[in-house]
Amino acid sequence: AEDWVVYIVECADGTFYTGITNDLERRIDQYNAGRGARYTRGRRPVILRYHELQPDRSSALARECRIKAMSRTKKQELIDRAVGNRVQRT
């Protein structure tokens, strides 16, 4: 079983786009080449802001739906918490 990833990208216009994939690097490359979702095509380049692993496609889809239902503020908080967790504390 392969891992699936739920991700949030920030588009050039500052909007967020949430999706799922089993190959995150390929997906980001597709968006930036203009071959991804219709939403992102006119909003390039996109920058990966958040991602989390899910054990299967079904779990990833469910999590994607929950994230898409969040307000922009809540999505930003999710991103900020993840970034804060990656910053090394001295």
Side-chain angles (χ1 to χ4, degrees):
E2 57 190 329
D3 284 335
W4 283 77
V5 180
V6 180
Y7 60 87
I8 301 174
V9 294
E10 184 174 359
C11 300
D13 64 359
T15 59
F16 291 140
Y17 179 83
T18 304
I20 68 167
T21 185
N22 58 5
D23 187 341
L24 186 57
E25 186 175 335
R26 184 197 74 219
R27 194 67 176 135
I28 300 302
D29 289 345
Q30 285 176 335
Y31 289 141
N32 285 324
R35 294 189 317 271
R38 182 178 296 143
Y39 184 85
T40 62
R41 278 185 211 144
R43 295 174 168 88
R44 294 178 289 154
V46 302
I47 300 168
L48 180 65
R49 294 296 184 201
Y50 177 81
H51 69 282
E52 65 182 48
L53 290 176
Q54 293 293 323
D56 53 46
R57 187 172 188 269
S58 177
S59 300
L61 283 168
R63 180 63 172 149
E64 177 191 25
C65 286
R66 289 193 302 274
I67 291 174
K68 284 184 171 184
M70 292 178 182
S71 67
R72 179 181 173 84
T73 302
K74 292 291 184 191
K75 290 175 189 174
Q76 187 65 59
E77 288 173 5
L78 185 67
I79 293 165
D80 291 345
R81 276 197 312 274
V83 170
N85 288 339
R86 286 196 295 264
V87 173
Q88 291 186 354
R89 312 249 184 245
T90 55

